[in-house]
Amino acid sequence: MARSAIIVAGGQGLRMGHELPKQFIEVLGLPILMHTINKFDRVFGNDDQIILVLPESHVAFWESLCAKHTFNVSHQIAFGGKTRFDSVKNGLNLCSNSGIVGIHDGVRPLISESLIASCYDHASKNGSALPVHAISQSLRKVDGDSSQPLDRTG
């Protein structure tokens, strides 16, 4: 089944106090966004599609980074919208494959290739997938002066 990934990278990075939006900050010789796209590229085949959603004002800068780093991973660019919802919608409008569509935050490059593959596999079998991790912290329900531990196994 064909797969598409919409990688949303519309943030301005204002909270980081950096002159560049965080998706463009270099880590280990590449912008964070390229690390993220590379993860999906290693999982995807030739029939699959990567759509990068960027603010229109960042596209020329992105293209210059691709040239600088000889970044040749095939991808299409959609323009970001006013909200994340609008940005994802713009990415969906470029999906040419019928199949499974994943949506991922461009500044989350530490996702494992096995988790990406597992999510697409699960979605193809069950219609959807959402990656979650079991919590390891203890949980308590507080009711007035009473505190009860909660079962984390269910």
Side-chain angles (χ1 to χ4, degrees), residues 8 53 80-92 103:
V8 185
V53 183
K82 289 179 92 172
T83 66
R84 183 177 179 92
F85 175 87
D86 295 320
S87 294
V88 170
K89 184 178 174 188
N90 292 346
L92 286 168
I103 300 167

Side-chain angles (χ1 to χ4, degrees), residues 101-103 111 115 118-123 126-134:
V101 177
I103 300 167
I111 186 170
L115 181 58
S118 176
C119 284
Y120 279 95
D121 183 53
H122 184 85
N126 301 293
S128 64
L130 181 66
V132 296
H133 293 282

Side-chain angles (χ1 to χ4, degrees), residues 35-49:
H35 289 287
T36 303
I37 292 171
N38 279 333
K39 291 282 179 91
F40 281 83
D41 183 54
R42 286 192 289 270
V43 173
F44 279 12
N46 292 335
D47 294 331
D48 297 319
Q49 178 182 35

Side-chain angles (χ1 to χ4, degrees), residues 59-146:
V59 172
F61 183 66
W62 170 249
E63 290 171 347
S64 72
L65 287 173
C66 289
K68 174 184 174 185
H69 294 283
T70 319
F71 187 72
N72 296 317
V73 173
S74 178
H75 64 280
Q76 295 173 273
I77 295 177
F79 297 142
K82 289 179 92 172
T83 66
R84 183 177 179 92
F85 175 87
D86 295 320
S87 294
V88 170
K89 184 178 174 188
N90 292 346
L92 286 168
N93 287 335
L94 288 183
C95 285
S96 59
N97 298 332
S98 62
I100 304 297
V101 177
I103 300 167
H104 187 73
D105 190 322
V107 294
R108 303 289 182 257
L110 300 180
I111 186 170
S112 69
E113 294 165 30
S114 62
L115 181 58
I116 294 169
S118 176
C119 284
Y120 279 95
D121 183 53
H122 184 85
S124 69
K125 292 175 184 168
N126 301 293
S128 64
L130 181 66
V132 296
H133 293 282
I135 60 171
S136 59
Q137 297 85 3
S138 60
L139 293 174
R140 299 195 67 83
K141 179 179 180 182
V142 177
D143 186 12
D145 292 334
S146 170

